[in-house]
Amino acid sequence: MEATASDRFKTGILFLAVLGLSAGLAFYVFGRSDIASLVWIAGVLPALLALFVEILRSIGRGEIGLDIVAALSMTAALVFGETLAAAVVAVMYSGGTFLESFAEGRARREMHTLLSRVPRTATRHQNGGLQDVPLDEVAPGDRLLIRQGDVVPVDGTVSSDGAFLDTSALTGESLPVRLTRGSDVMSGSTNAGEAFDLTATRPAKDSTYAGIVRLVEQAQASKAPMSRLADRWSLGFLVITVSIALAAWWFTGDPIRAVAVLVVATPCPLILAVPVALVAGLSRAAHFGVLIKGAGALESMARISTLILDKTGTLTDGRPQIVRIVTADGMDETQILRFAAALDQASKHPVAQAIVAAAKLRGLTLPVPQDVAEIPGEGVVGFIEDRQVVVGGLGFVLQRVQEPAVSHPDIEAGAVVVALAVDGQLAGHLVMSDPLREGAADMIARLREQGIARILLATGDRADVATRVTAGLGLDGIRADLTPDQKVLLLLSERKNGPVMMIGDGVNDAPALAAADVGVAMGARGAAASAEAADVVLLVDRLDRIGPGMEIARASRRIAVESVVAGIGFSVLGMIAAALGYLTPVQGALLQEVIDVAVILNALRALRISPRPGLSDAPPSEHSLKTDLSQGTMA
């Protein structure tokens, strides 16, 4: 993204301050101290004016920040002729605000990716033909054509014999669903089968997907702003600074001592150390595949006490996997998998693709299917090595075997059965489900060790499926059958226990991610909407990345606090020395630079943070990052 107007403005202020200080020093070296003083004043004034504007805005918001101390020091230095000291302070202050702006620059997200996921046009049946029309022209009763792979643009009902839809981004249901004529269809679903006709029941602005967009926008607008760590120290530091400066002037009658105190007190350790430590933490987290969109998000991440997890695609893999193979008619498991996968090579169905992937993972060689016919959402018929093979739902396959009276295999909630028949005989079944991600239990245990007191599951899936999948994880609660707005309400109700983190991947998670104190999106294969709405994006398709991310966030914040305490301590000692007459304003400014360098070097320790060793803690390779992102939806 290109720089914002605010970023460019702060860059300009820093440029003028540095130019003024450098040019003034050049004139001073060549004996023109009078011109040097004017140049320093010219370099200070833009920073000082911008500072006064920011102070007025802060007061209007009811906030008292570090800006007041910096304004006092620069103003006092100019009033009493200490222009070099004022120029040094201006450079350091504008440099600190620029660095902080850089750290926060990507924290605000735009909604363009979420909005662009739905097509701008729809294909409408009109006058015996098809015509592409803008979405806002679609009215209830219009008949639309939804092609394979299209995202349904408006709510409606199926007007064809049937439709096969992937609703995982909206409901959390990992497997596509088969709908019959007259069934309701939600906008935002993806057509996973053949093209079908849809009769619109609502205009685009009132459809399900548009409602989710509005929920995200409202959540972002109502989300409390992240307060700067430095500002929480500012009031006490301001009181100490003004008290020492006034005492020095009162007891000595020398205003220059007060100026020296104010210059030494310029809060550059606070302004610089905090963003340096947090930016270093951002860089370190990215090394482990955790993209944190700003220093404020990292700071909030360090204070999380409650975690809410989505199920499908987050706590689970989001892709159906074979959990067991039931054999019949003398075939072994390998033969059943080989025949099913060979025929499923001709299908784009997610379950078929999962079966093919499982066969290849086992190293099976798959012959090319012949004379294939697919009934979308039902099954596939064809020939493998001159043998007739049928793969699909149990009912579909039983209609094509010689002995249809076969009992349905026992399956757990949320699982699906794929049946296989060879040469008219039932050969067996493949039982598939969406299992927990590997290491999910260890990840939850690790987060509890880090201080997460409460961990909940929030899903749009059925309660029995959610309960079965999470058995043994020791969650503090399961909330199932939730709509996007209900997820937001759950998050708001949990906030009474402390800052809340939400982890999700689907479009239905986007409003909750936007409303959370920290929203975390599964960026590798998750919906672009959730990645846009979130504060943190996991760049690799591994939930265990959140553990190292949390450790880095907490360590970065601790280093930032250490730097602040040390910086304030040294600054107070310097103020006392200036009040006693041991430091001139220029010497105070130079001392402050030494303090700045010291606290910045300490803050840079965040670049060397090493999360607690574990099998899952190795940084992802460049290849794995590229692979995960290329398979996902992030742009």
Side-chain angles (χ1 to χ4, degrees):
M1 293 182 181
E2 61 183 38
T4 64
S6 176
D7 293 337
R8 291 192 293 270
F9 177 76
K10 291 179 179 180
T11 302
I13 294 295
L14 175 60
F15 174 77
L16 292 175
V18 171
L19 181 62
L21 176 62
S22 303
L25 288 173
F27 281 111
Y28 185 83
V29 169
F30 286 102
R32 299 302 306 270
S33 57
D34 53 338
I35 298 179
S37 182
L38 293 175
V39 172
W40 285 328
I41 292 173
V44 170
L45 287 178
L48 190 57
L49 290 174
L51 195 52
F52 279 128
V53 171
E54 183 58 35
I55 290 172
L56 292 176
R57 290 177 178 173
S58 299
I59 293 175
R61 296 191 300 265
E63 300 173 357
I64 298 179
L66 297 168
D67 303 330
I68 296 178
V69 179
L72 283 175
S73 64
M74 279 189 274
T75 301
L78 290 179
V79 168
F80 294 102
E82 298 290 339
T83 53
L84 175 56
V88 173
V89 173
V91 169
M92 294 312 300
Y93 182 81
S94 57
T97 56
F98 169 79
L99 182 60
E100 188 174 40
S101 176
F102 173 79
E104 300 287 351
R106 299 283 73 85
R108 296 191 177 189
R109 292 143 325 262
E110 299 177 357
M111 292 303 300
H112 69 276
T113 304
L114 176 56
L115 293 170
S116 65
R117 183 175 182 269
V118 174
R120 300 297 182 184
T121 62
T123 303
R124 182 171 63 187
H125 290 273
Q126 189 169 332
N127 300 325
L130 295 173
Q131 182 178 4
D132 289 336
V133 297
L135 275 187
D136 56 9
E137 292 186 12
V138 176
D142 285 350
R143 190 180 178 97
L144 308 177
L145 175 65
I146 310 299
R147 300 180 178 89
Q148 186 177 38
D150 282 354
V151 175
V152 178
V154 298
D155 290 350
T157 59
V158 178
S159 301
S160 301
D161 291 336
F164 195 62
L165 295 172
D166 178 1
T167 62
S168 59
L170 295 174
T171 66
E173 177 61 53
S174 58
L175 299 175
V177 294
R178 177 75 175 175
L179 300 180
T180 58
R181 182 185 294 271
S183 298
D184 292 331
V185 179
M186 293 182 293
S187 58
S189 304
T190 301
N191 183 9
E194 299 297 324
F196 70 95
D197 286 343
L198 176 87
T199 300
T201 56
R202 295 179 183 175
K205 64 183 180 64
D206 296 328
S207 290
T208 302
Y209 198 86
I212 292 178
V213 172
R214 286 192 294 271
L215 278 175
V216 175
E217 291 171 338
Q218 292 167 6
Q220 289 180 326
S222 62
K223 186 173 181 177
M226 298 174 179
S227 59
R228 297 185 306 176
L229 174 64
D231 281 343
R232 293 198 288 273
W233 296 74
S234 59
L235 184 58
F237 190 71
L238 175 61
V239 171
I240 293 173
T241 299
V242 173
S243 298
I244 295 177
L246 290 177
W249 193 352
W250 176 268
F251 287 108
T252 66
D254 184 4
I256 300 301
R257 291 199 182 188
V259 173
V261 169
L262 292 173
V263 169
V264 175
T266 301
C268 290
L270 289 175
I271 297 167
L272 291 173
V274 173
V276 166
L278 298 184
V279 169
L282 299 181
S283 175
R284 187 61 175 163
H287 182 65
F288 284 84
V290 182
L291 174 63
I292 304 176
K293 299 180 180 179
L298 183 139
E299 184 185 338
S300 293
M301 195 173 177
R303 299 184 292 111
I304 294 299
S305 60
T306 299
L307 171 64
I308 298 177
L309 288 162
D310 173 49
K311 183 183 76 70
T312 304
T314 302
L315 194 58
T316 67
D317 188 64
R319 292 172 291 193
Q321 296 182 19
I322 299 173
V323 293
R324 71 177 186 273
I325 299 176
V326 180
T327 64
D329 195 32
M331 277 198 177
D332 60 28
E333 294 186 5
T334 300
Q335 289 176 307
I336 291 174
L337 178 58
R338 180 173 179 271
F339 273 112
L343 186 58
D344 274 338
Q345 292 177 99
S347 174
K348 292 184 178 180
H349 192 293
V351 172
Q353 293 176 348
I355 292 174
V356 173
K360 290 181 177 179
L361 187 63
R362 295 193 186 187
L364 300 182
T365 301
L366 303 179
V368 177
Q370 304 292 331
D371 300 327
V372 177
E374 179 176 10
I375 292 81
E378 298 289 346
V380 187
V381 179
F383 286 85
I384 302 296
E385 297 176 337
D386 297 325
R387 301 185 71 177
Q388 186 184 49
V389 178
V390 182
V391 177
L394 186 61
F396 174 81
V397 174
L398 291 182
Q399 292 174 2
R400 291 161 174 80
V401 299
Q402 297 174 4
E403 299 178 2
V406 178
S407 61
H408 196 292
D410 293 331
I411 63 170
E412 56 271 21
V416 296
V417 171
V418 177
L420 170 72
V422 179
D423 293 331
Q425 299 293 327
L426 185 67
H429 310 90
L430 296 92
V431 181
M432 308 189 70
S433 67
D434 184 15
L436 280 177
R437 287 180 180 271
E438 184 179 357
D442 292 338
M443 181 272 297
I444 290 177
R446 180 170 183 171
L447 291 178
R448 289 198 186 278
E449 292 176 0
Q450 294 177 22
I452 303 295
R454 188 167 167 79
I455 302 179
L456 304 174
L457 179 75
T459 178
D461 211 344
R462 304 195 313 271
D464 57 342
V465 176
T467 301
R468 178 189 62 79
V469 169
T470 59
L473 288 183
L475 300 179
D476 297 297
I478 297 174
R479 306 292 186 269
D481 298 306
L482 298 182
T483 60
D485 56 332
Q486 289 173 333
K487 286 189 177 183
V488 173
L489 290 176
L490 172 63
L491 186 146
L492 296 177
S493 67
E494 288 295 327
R495 190 169 281 158
K496 65 180 183 294
N497 300 315
V500 180
M501 174 187 287
M502 169 74 186
I503 306 179
D505 75 316
V507 175
N508 59 331
D509 300 317
L513 293 175
D517 295 286
V518 177
V520 181
M522 305 294 294
R525 289 192 292 116
S530 61
E532 285 290 333
D535 304 291
V536 180
V537 179
L538 303 184
L539 297 178
V540 290
D541 190 34
R542 292 172 56 179
L543 185 60
D544 57 24
R545 292 292 95 192
I546 199 65
M550 291 284 291
E551 290 189 39
I552 291 170
R554 293 180 187 274
S556 298
R557 186 176 185 275
R558 184 179 66 251
I559 290 173
V561 171
E562 291 172 355
S563 299
V564 166
V565 171
I568 288 178
F570 286 126
S571 293
V572 170
L573 293 177
M575 285 188 280
I576 294 174
L580 296 176
Y582 293 112
L583 292 174
T584 65
V586 173
Q587 290 172 335
L590 295 176
L591 175 62
Q592 186 60 61
E593 299 315 301
V594 174
I595 296 174
D596 292 343
V597 171
V599 298
I600 289 174
L601 290 176
N602 182 69
L604 287 174
R605 289 191 299 120
L607 288 172
R608 300 193 303 273
I609 296 172
S610 295
R612 181 168 56 87
L615 294 177
S616 63
D617 288 344
S621 66
E622 181 181 355
H623 173 73
S624 67
L625 281 173
K626 289 180 178 178
T627 301
D628 283 328
L629 289 177
S630 67
Q631 294 174 348
T633 56
M634 293 183 63

